[in-house]
Amino acid sequence: MSHMPQQAALSKCPSCAEPLEPGDRYCGACGYDLSVVPAPPQDRPTLTMNASDRPAPGGVAWPVAPEPDSSGTPAAVHLPTDLPGTDSGGSPLRAPAPAADPAAPGVRFDRPQEPEEYRLQAPDPRVAAESAPTAETPQVCVACRAGRVDDDGYCENCGHAQPRERDHMERESGPIAAVSDRGLRHHRNEDAFAVGHTALPDGSPAAVAVVCDGVSSATRPDEASLAASQAAGEVLLSALPRGTHPQQAMHEAIVVAAQAVNALAGEPAGDHEHAPHQNAPACTIVGAVVTSGLLVVGWVGDSRAYWVPVDRGAPPARLTEDDSWAAQMVAAGLMTEAEAYADERAHAITGWLGADAYELEPHTASFKPDRPGVVVVCTDGLWNYAETAEEMAEAMPLDAAVRPLHSARVLVGHALDGGGHDNVTVAVVPFPAPPQGAGSA
């Protein structure tokens, strides 16, 4: 006869951390089956270096983006042949740099130990539309896909609680779409996004997308990503109609996003009241602004932006450079990109938003593509499964420019098919055909 685990040994649910009572077989909050607790995954963690352990002067000097002046002078822009562009300091994004100390102390793990598989997984975005509740059709359980969901949010067939609001999110705003999914391994979604569209003073359209990835080892990473994405989105959507140059607006948006995350460090005091800046709420950020003929990206951390042209005969490109250990090794010429990202230290990020981060150094870059395409703005939960620009273009549907929501769902599905080890968030921003005769920003 098989031996059932003694549930009294579990003090809290391994899925949602709800306190348990002796003898509980299922979690009363999320419906998690407590009879079997799987082994923890073998995920490679993302690391962040504490501000007190900033690399020595001989380390990599990431480009500093100075505060934009108020002259309103447009920043330089580039054709795709000039990729990867320039940062807000005017320096090449791929400037060579010496290696940082691979054994630098003071790191924290972004992916703490978690159960290998959760019985209740986030819904597959490719079938979300099929199972979405309507006035005529009762909601179907995302776990067994057979039972009806009662008013309390539990399946009448298998008893599983249904996903929380942030487990799977989809949004469209004008020509832009974004999808965020909890993935298959994490117990909650710590990513967040903001999308929107507005008009410039001359009436021409502008599209905005911001994606943030919470640092899991930090306090309240889900709150950090939400605060940063909302703050940055609001700044962009308010600054662009006033005539602020998109690159300057992006810089300001990242600064305000960092301030929003920093503000979380002091409230509530709680467990870290004696050291409010240790393990403070933290996240990465990447954003894109598309106007008529101009593309601007900005970032801090290892979330990325990619360019995929409608004409797949033209080359795609990665528009951002990671603030990470792996990027430092590649820039220093010590490793190939494949070798660096295969190392267990690959996801040690050297830049993030948070009270315990280094001095804030927003990166921004502007481009002037000469053909229509789409901009992919995403967290590493996606690009871990489509790392190169060519791989991202291959995963992207051919009709992405006209079906951005469908394309975002497909990309999230690509990550889930690959293993879904992390939260997955992607925004797809179409870039229209540039106006005839456009030669400058």
Side-chain angles (χ1 to χ4, degrees), residues 118-135:
Y118 286 92
R119 293 295 182 89
L120 175 60
Q121 297 177 349
D124 188 328
R126 294 160 295 179
V127 299
E130 300 175 6
S131 61
T134 64

Side-chain angles (χ1 to χ4, degrees), residues 124-148:
D124 188 328
R126 294 160 295 179
V127 299
E130 300 175 6
S131 61
T134 64
E136 297 78 18
T137 305
Q139 182 179 355
V140 177
C141 175
V142 299
C144 69
R145 302 201 183 279
R148 179 179 178 277

Side-chain angles (χ1 to χ4, degrees), residues 252-266:
E252 294 173 355
I254 295 175
V255 171
V256 172
Q259 294 170 348
V261 177
N262 291 349
L264 297 175

Side-chain angles (χ1 to χ4, degrees), residues 30-347:
C30 70
Y32 186 80
D33 185 353
L34 302 172
S35 62
V36 177
V37 178
Q42 298 301 316
D43 294 350
R44 286 178 175 170
T46 295
L47 311 173
T48 60
M49 300 180 184
N50 293 332
S52 59
D53 301 302
R54 187 171 185 170
V60 172
W62 291 99
V64 178
E67 287 290 340
D69 58 33
S70 58
S71 65
T73 303
V77 293
H78 309 270
L79 293 172
T81 53
D82 299 321
L83 293 175
T86 60
D87 65 18
S88 54
S91 303
L93 296 181
R94 291 183 178 272
D101 181 6
V107 297
R108 65 190 185 199
F109 288 84
D110 186 9
R111 296 190 180 116
Q113 297 296 322
E114 294 181 353
E116 176 68 21
E117 295 288 351
Y118 286 92
R119 293 295 182 89
L120 175 60
Q121 297 177 349
D124 188 328
R126 294 160 295 179
V127 299
E130 300 175 6
S131 61
T134 64
E136 297 78 18
T137 305
Q139 182 179 355
V140 177
C141 175
V142 299
C144 69
R145 302 201 183 279
R148 179 179 178 277
V149 178
D150 62 23
D151 294 338
D152 293 332
Y154 289 84
C155 176
E156 295 177 348
N157 179 51
C158 67
H160 278 300
Q162 299 307 289
R164 289 165 287 190
E165 180 182 0
R166 286 185 65 175
D167 282 358
H168 185 85
M169 300 179 292
E170 299 185 358
R171 190 165 302 154
E172 287 183 290
S173 178
I176 320 164
V179 176
S180 182
D181 193 272
R182 192 188 73 192
L184 305 182
R185 305 292 181 91
H186 282 229
H187 71 284
R188 66 179 175 184
N189 190 356
E190 295 169 355
D191 289 355
F193 66 81
V195 293
H197 65 285
T198 185
L200 302 181
D202 63 0
S204 61
V208 169
V210 178
V211 167
C212 295
D213 184 355
V215 177
S216 295
S217 64
T219 307
R220 293 139 55 208
D222 53 332
E223 294 182 32
S225 63
L226 184 62
S229 60
Q230 289 181 340
E234 290 172 0
V235 169
L236 290 169
L237 292 174
S238 62
L240 293 173
R242 296 197 305 264
T244 305
H245 189 274
Q247 190 165 7
Q248 181 177 340
M250 179 64 73
H251 182 98
E252 294 173 355
I254 295 175
V255 171
V256 172
Q259 294 170 348
V261 177
N262 291 349
L264 297 175
E267 54 176 51
D271 296 336
H272 56 285
E273 59 182 348
H274 300 299
H277 294 286
Q278 290 294 322
N279 212 33
C283 68
T284 67
I285 187 171
V286 61
V289 173
V290 167
T291 64
S292 180
L294 181 65
L295 163 61
V296 170
V297 295
W299 74 98
V300 173
D302 64 350
S303 293
R304 294 180 176 179
Y306 292 82
W307 162 258
V308 179
V310 169
D311 175 11
R312 297 303 172 85
R318 199 175 100 196
L319 306 178
T320 58
E321 277 296 321
D322 299 345
D323 290 330
S324 71
W325 179 91
Q328 290 183 344
M329 295 300 104
V330 174
L334 298 179
M335 291 183 175
T336 66
E337 192 164 10
E339 292 171 340
Y341 283 99
D343 192 283
E344 62 181 6
R345 296 163 291 185
H347 288 273

